[in-house]
Amino acid sequence: MTLQPLLRHPSLRPTDEWWKAAVVYQVYPRSFADSNGDGIGDIRGIINRLDHLENLGIDVVWLSPVYTSPQDDNGYDISDYYAVDPTFGTLEDLDELIAAMHARGMKLVMDLVVNHTSDEHAWFQESRASRTSAKRDWYIWRDPRTSQEHEAGNEPNNWGSFFSGSAWELDEGTGQYFLHLFSRKQPDLNWDNPEVRAAIYKMMNWWLDRGIDGFRMDVISFISKHPGLPDGPVENGTTWGNGIPFYGSGPHVHEYLQEMHREVFRGRETELMTVGEMVDATPELARLYTDPDRKELDMVFHFEHVGLDHGPGGKFTRKALDLVEVKRSFARWQEALADVGWNSLYWNNHDQPRVVSRFGNDTGYWYESATALATVLHLMRGTPYIYQGEELGMTNMPFEGIEDFRDLESLNYYYEALTGNDGSEAAAELLAGIATGGRDNARTPVQWDATPNAGFTTGDPWIPVNPNHLWLNAAAQRTDPGSVFSWYRSLVRLRHEEPVVIDGRFTLLCPEDPQLFVYTRTSETTSLMVLANCSTTPRALNLQLARELAMRWVSAEVLLHNHPEKSWDRQELRPWEVVVLRRSA
Ligand code: GLC
Ligand code: CA
C-alpha cells in the first residue's frame, strides 16, 4: 500500500453540506464491544473504543437502535423511544457518548425506527385494548377478509411479511388483524393519523435537542400505505403477495417527509444529516427524495447493487455476480444524482453479508479483494458508509448448524421452508442459503484482538465469534501499514484532502469488461483514475485504455496501489489489483 503525500492540496473547501465530505461508520451496538461481561455489546463499550474510530478518521457514527426494546429484532422493535435499553446502558451513558464523540470532532446519527413500534410499546398496548380505544387508529387494523371466522386465508389481504408468513396477525381480544410488514412483534404505525405524526416529530425534536446530529431512517419509504391495501402480485414460487407496490413510496410519503422537515429539521438542517433506507428506491425516486429544494432527505440507501447476486428464490438463494451489471447499476445511480441530490455508498451494514466474502475472495485474495472493493466504492461520488469490522476485512462466518444462528429472519425462513419437508438434503440446502445470505454474518462480534472471544467480551458472547479472529483482528492491523485497516484510513484521508473525490464528475470506462472496474473522477483542476481487477485472473487493459494511460496519464502519480512490492506496468492488472492515479486536468 502506498499513499503519496496529499498535503500540498488545499484542504477541503467550505461547503454548507458538510456530509458530502464525510465518511460514516455504522455501529451495531450489540456486536461492537461489551464493557460489563454480559456477552452483549453496550454504549460504554463504544466509549471505550472511540480511539479506534478516531484513528480510522471517520466523521460520523450511525448508531443502530439502543432504545428500550424486547429485542425481538435486536432493537428494531422499540417499546420506548425516550429511553435506553438496560442491555445497552443508560441515557447518561448515551449523553456521555455524544459528548465524547463531539469532543473528538465526530457526529452521532441515531437510528429512527418509526414505520413500526414494538407490540410492547404503550401506544400499541392501548391501541389493541379495544376497538374504541383512543389509539386504535394509531396502527393499521382490519377485519378478516370474508367472515368472522379466523382461518388461514382470511387475512385482510395477501401481503407477506419480510420475516416469513403473513403480514397480518390476529388479535384474539378484539377480533381484528393488525398489519406488521416485519415481525409480528413490530406492528406498523398508521402514518395517515396526524396524531401519530405529531408524536413522532415531538420525539425526534427531543433527541435533536439532546444533541444528536441526525437520523438514519429505517424503512422510511414504507410509511404511506395505499388506502385500499390491495392484494399484491404473487411472484413465482411464493405463497404470499408482494405488497411493495402498495406501500413502497406510497401516496403521501413525500408529503409526510416534507412535513417532518418543517416540524423537526427547519432552522437547524445545515448541522444535521438525514439518510432514509428505501428498499424500493429507483434513481428517479431518489432524485425526488434528495433534491435539496424539496426539503425531504439528504440521501437514501437503495438496494439495487446488493440484490444483484440474489437468485430466483430471493436473498437466500444465489446467482453468480456479473460485474458488468454491478458497474451498470452504480453508473446509473452516479449519473441520476450527478446534478441534483446525493448518493450514499455502501457494501455492508447490519443486514448484509460481508462484502469480502460475498463479492470478493476471502481465501486466496483476502487483502487484495477487500482493498479493491473498498476503493471502487469509496472513490465514487457520494457519502461512503463503513460497517463495523469492514475496515478490518471481516469475513462471513463459517456457520456449522442452525444453532449458530440468532436472526429471526433466517430462523423463520429456515423453519417455514422446512415444514412438511423432512429430507436432510433440503435442510442442508436451506442452511447453506442462510449461511451465505443471512444477516448474522454481519452480526458476529467485532474482532479486536486474538484473545478468546476476540476481545469483544469477557463473558459468553450472544453470538459466536468468528474463529478467524486469531489472525484477523484490529490489534494486528492498527499499526501495520500494509493492513486493510490502513487502507481504509487512506481512503478516508483521501476524501478529506482531495476535493475531486467529493465533487468530481464520474465517468465509467470499459463498461462491458467482465473483470475490470475502471472509472475517472474529474474536476476543473484534477483527475483521478481508479482501476481495479475484480476477478481472480490477470486481465490485460484494452488497447484504448493502455494508450490513454501512456498519453494523458503518463506522468500521473500513483496515489494508492495494493501490490506495493511491484511497480505497475500499466498494461495488465493482477488478480484483485487496484491502482488509483491522479493528474492535473
Ligand atoms: C430495516 C433494518 C433491519 C430491520 C428492519 C425492520 O431493514 O435495517 O435490520 O430488521 O428494517 O425494522
Ligand atoms: Ca454488555
Short mmCIF file of all heavy atoms in Angstrom, two decimals, residues 447-470:
data_model
loop_
_atom_site.label_atom_id
_atom_site.label_comp_id
_atom_site.label_asym_id
_atom_site.label_seq_id
_atom_site.Cartn_x
_atom_site.Cartn_y
_atom_site.Cartn_z
N GLN A 447 -13.84 -8.03 15.83
CA GLN A 447 -12.63 -8.76 16.22
C GLN A 447 -11.54 -7.77 16.61
O GLN A 447 -10.82 -7.23 15.78
CB GLN A 447 -12.25 -9.69 15.06
CG GLN A 447 -13.36 -10.74 14.85
CD GLN A 447 -13.31 -11.53 13.57
OE1 GLN A 447 -14.34 -12.06 13.15
NE2 GLN A 447 -12.16 -11.64 12.95
N TRP A 448 -11.43 -7.55 17.93
CA TRP A 448 -10.49 -6.55 18.43
C TRP A 448 -9.08 -7.09 18.56
O TRP A 448 -8.12 -6.39 18.30
CB TRP A 448 -10.97 -5.99 19.78
CG TRP A 448 -12.28 -5.25 19.64
CD1 TRP A 448 -13.51 -5.67 20.04
CD2 TRP A 448 -12.46 -3.98 19.01
NE1 TRP A 448 -14.47 -4.73 19.69
CE2 TRP A 448 -13.85 -3.68 19.07
CE3 TRP A 448 -11.61 -3.05 18.42
CZ2 TRP A 448 -14.38 -2.51 18.55
CZ3 TRP A 448 -12.14 -1.86 17.90
CH2 TRP A 448 -13.51 -1.61 17.98
N ASP A 449 -8.97 -8.35 19.00
CA ASP A 449 -7.64 -8.93 19.17
C ASP A 449 -7.71 -10.45 19.10
O ASP A 449 -8.78 -11.01 18.81
CB ASP A 449 -6.99 -8.43 20.48
CG ASP A 449 -7.85 -8.75 21.70
OD1 ASP A 449 -8.41 -9.87 21.76
OD2 ASP A 449 -7.96 -7.89 22.59
N ALA A 450 -6.60 -11.12 19.39
CA ALA A 450 -6.53 -12.57 19.21
C ALA A 450 -6.88 -13.35 20.48
O ALA A 450 -6.78 -14.57 20.51
CB ALA A 450 -5.12 -12.94 18.73
N THR A 451 -7.30 -12.65 21.53
CA THR A 451 -7.64 -13.35 22.77
C THR A 451 -8.97 -14.09 22.60
O THR A 451 -9.69 -13.85 21.63
CB THR A 451 -7.75 -12.35 23.95
OG1 THR A 451 -8.84 -11.45 23.68
CG2 THR A 451 -6.45 -11.56 24.13
N PRO A 452 -9.30 -14.98 23.54
CA PRO A 452 -10.57 -15.69 23.42
C PRO A 452 -11.72 -14.67 23.30
O PRO A 452 -11.71 -13.64 23.96
CB PRO A 452 -10.67 -16.48 24.73
CG PRO A 452 -9.26 -16.63 25.19
CD PRO A 452 -8.53 -15.41 24.71
N ASN A 453 -12.67 -14.95 22.44
CA ASN A 453 -13.77 -14.03 22.14
C ASN A 453 -13.30 -12.69 21.56
O ASN A 453 -14.02 -11.69 21.63
CB ASN A 453 -14.67 -13.81 23.36
CG ASN A 453 -15.37 -15.10 23.76
OD1 ASN A 453 -15.72 -15.89 22.89
ND2 ASN A 453 -15.52 -15.33 25.05
N ALA A 454 -12.14 -12.68 20.99
CA ALA A 454 -11.65 -11.57 20.17
C ALA A 454 -11.60 -10.23 20.90
O ALA A 454 -11.62 -9.18 20.28
CB ALA A 454 -12.52 -11.44 18.90
N GLY A 455 -11.57 -10.27 22.24
CA GLY A 455 -11.55 -9.01 22.99
C GLY A 455 -12.90 -8.32 23.01
O GLY A 455 -13.03 -7.20 23.50
N PHE A 456 -13.93 -8.99 22.48
CA PHE A 456 -15.28 -8.40 22.45
C PHE A 456 -15.92 -8.44 23.82
O PHE A 456 -16.57 -7.49 24.24
CB PHE A 456 -16.14 -9.14 21.42
CG PHE A 456 -17.62 -8.88 21.55
CD1 PHE A 456 -18.16 -7.65 21.20
CD2 PHE A 456 -18.48 -9.87 22.03
CE1 PHE A 456 -19.53 -7.40 21.33
CE2 PHE A 456 -19.85 -9.63 22.16
CZ PHE A 456 -20.37 -8.39 21.81
N THR A 457 -15.75 -9.56 24.51
CA THR A 457 -16.38 -9.72 25.83
C THR A 457 -15.53 -10.62 26.69
O THR A 457 -14.78 -11.47 26.17
CB THR A 457 -17.80 -10.32 25.69
OG1 THR A 457 -18.39 -10.45 26.99
CG2 THR A 457 -17.77 -11.71 25.03
N THR A 458 -15.67 -10.47 28.02
CA THR A 458 -15.03 -11.41 28.93
C THR A 458 -16.02 -12.52 29.29
O THR A 458 -15.67 -13.47 29.99
CB THR A 458 -14.59 -10.70 30.22
OG1 THR A 458 -15.75 -10.02 30.76
CG2 THR A 458 -13.49 -9.69 29.94
N GLY A 459 -17.28 -12.37 28.84
CA GLY A 459 -18.30 -13.38 29.15
C GLY A 459 -18.55 -14.27 27.96
O GLY A 459 -17.66 -14.51 27.13
N ASP A 460 -19.79 -14.80 27.88
CA ASP A 460 -20.17 -15.63 26.74
C ASP A 460 -20.84 -14.74 25.71
O ASP A 460 -21.91 -14.20 25.97
CB ASP A 460 -21.20 -16.70 27.19
CG ASP A 460 -20.54 -17.81 27.94
OD1 ASP A 460 -19.35 -18.07 27.68
OD2 ASP A 460 -21.22 -18.41 28.81
N PRO A 461 -20.26 -14.63 24.53
CA PRO A 461 -20.87 -13.75 23.52
C PRO A 461 -22.26 -14.25 23.10
O PRO A 461 -22.48 -15.46 23.03
CB PRO A 461 -19.88 -13.81 22.36
CG PRO A 461 -19.07 -15.03 22.56
CD PRO A 461 -19.06 -15.31 24.03
N TRP A 462 -23.15 -13.31 22.82
CA TRP A 462 -24.54 -13.68 22.47
C TRP A 462 -24.62 -14.43 21.14
O TRP A 462 -25.60 -15.12 20.87
CB TRP A 462 -25.43 -12.43 22.44
CG TRP A 462 -25.13 -11.50 21.29
CD1 TRP A 462 -24.15 -10.55 21.24
CD2 TRP A 462 -25.80 -11.44 20.03
NE1 TRP A 462 -24.16 -9.91 20.01
CE2 TRP A 462 -25.18 -10.44 19.26
CE3 TRP A 462 -26.88 -12.13 19.45
CZ2 TRP A 462 -25.58 -10.11 17.95
CZ3 TRP A 462 -27.29 -11.80 18.16
CH2 TRP A 462 -26.63 -10.80 17.43
N ILE A 463 -23.57 -14.29 20.32
CA ILE A 463 -23.50 -14.98 19.02
C ILE A 463 -22.04 -15.38 18.86
O ILE A 463 -21.15 -14.65 19.33
CB ILE A 463 -23.97 -14.03 17.89
CG1 ILE A 463 -24.08 -14.76 16.54
CG2 ILE A 463 -23.07 -12.81 17.75
CD1 ILE A 463 -24.77 -13.90 15.45
N PRO A 464 -21.77 -16.54 18.26
CA PRO A 464 -20.38 -16.99 18.20
C PRO A 464 -19.43 -16.00 17.50
O PRO A 464 -19.81 -15.31 16.57
CB PRO A 464 -20.46 -18.29 17.40
CG PRO A 464 -21.88 -18.74 17.50
CD PRO A 464 -22.70 -17.52 17.69
N VAL A 465 -18.20 -15.98 17.99
CA VAL A 465 -17.14 -15.16 17.41
C VAL A 465 -16.52 -15.93 16.24
O VAL A 465 -16.37 -17.15 16.31
CB VAL A 465 -16.06 -14.88 18.47
CG1 VAL A 465 -14.86 -14.15 17.87
CG2 VAL A 465 -16.65 -14.08 19.63
N ASN A 466 -16.19 -15.23 15.18
CA ASN A 466 -15.57 -15.89 14.03
C ASN A 466 -14.19 -16.41 14.42
O ASN A 466 -13.36 -15.64 14.93
CB ASN A 466 -15.46 -14.90 12.86
CG ASN A 466 -15.16 -15.60 11.54
OD1 ASN A 466 -14.29 -16.47 11.47
ND2 ASN A 466 -15.88 -15.22 10.52
N PRO A 467 -13.93 -17.72 14.19
CA PRO A 467 -12.63 -18.27 14.61
C PRO A 467 -11.44 -17.59 13.94
O PRO A 467 -10.33 -17.66 14.46
CB PRO A 467 -12.72 -19.75 14.21
CG PRO A 467 -13.94 -19.90 13.37
CD PRO A 467 -14.83 -18.74 13.64
N ASN A 468 -11.66 -16.90 12.82
CA ASN A 468 -10.50 -16.27 12.17
C ASN A 468 -10.00 -15.02 12.90
O ASN A 468 -9.07 -14.36 12.44
CB ASN A 468 -10.75 -16.01 10.67
CG ASN A 468 -11.84 -14.99 10.40
OD1 ASN A 468 -12.27 -14.26 11.30
ND2 ASN A 468 -12.30 -14.94 9.16
N HIS A 469 -10.61 -14.72 14.07
CA HIS A 469 -10.10 -13.56 14.84
C HIS A 469 -8.66 -13.78 15.30
O HIS A 469 -7.99 -12.82 15.69
CB HIS A 469 -11.00 -13.26 16.04
CG HIS A 469 -10.87 -14.24 17.16
ND1 HIS A 469 -11.60 -15.42 17.23
CD2 HIS A 469 -10.10 -14.24 18.26
CE1 HIS A 469 -11.27 -16.08 18.31
NE2 HIS A 469 -10.36 -15.39 18.97
N LEU A 470 -8.19 -15.04 15.27
CA LEU A 470 -6.81 -15.29 15.70
C LEU A 470 -5.81 -14.53 14.84
O LEU A 470 -4.79 -14.07 15.33
CB LEU A 470 -6.52 -16.80 15.67
CG LEU A 470 -7.31 -17.61 16.70
CD1 LEU A 470 -7.02 -19.10 16.56
CD2 LEU A 470 -6.96 -17.13 18.13
#
